[in-house]
Amino acid sequence: YRKSSVFFIDTLTGFVGCREGAIMKTTNSGVTWKLQSTPTTATPIQIQFIDNNTGWTLASSGWLSRTTNGGLNWQLISTDRGRFYFLDSVIGFSGGNGSIKKTTDGGSNWTQIPNIEAGAVFFWDKKNGWAYGTGTYPDYYFTLYNTRDSGKTWIQSQNQYYRSCRRIFFIDTLTGWA
């Protein structure tokens, strides 16, 4: 299997997204892996768990699926999603299609946050997060938004011309890469 996304809950339990909708789970630090079933054949491009039972996966088709039993079963809950981050079992953020959206029901319904053009979100912890957007050809630009209050307010912190950006990652509240 070709791997496209990885997420570990702790040092023992982790998930790997593979081609054709496959997700594999380990409970022994990767010594052995067990194939999980998903509701789509699209490649899982992002996986996130908040505990041993509750997790989400984003397929390359934009389909967001959720599990509440540690990956044994996955349920399709919404479509047309972008990169996401869940703060807990109900509150999450998703970027994509030029906007950032928020859910308060675990991902089934989403509300657009006005005046923020974002392609993805990343949270360092439950309070500190970032969203970024990129323009369209030929006017690529990189806009970075920051929240320090769990997404209640977003402040634009950078806007510059740049080639497109696909992901952001921070190792603390001040240091990150795009």
Side-chain angles (χ1 to χ4, degrees), residues 8 19-20 37 76 85 95 104 124 133 153 158 160-161 167:
F8 270 77
R19 294 176 123 192
E20 299 174 0
S37 64
L76 175 65
Y85 187 88
T104 57
W124 162 248
T153 59
Q158 184 172 359
Q160 66 184 23
Y161 285 99
R167 290 191 181 86

Side-chain angles (χ1 to χ4, degrees), residues 117 133-141:
E117 193 174 306
T134 56
T136 57
Y137 179 81
D139 297 319
Y140 290 110
Y141 61 90

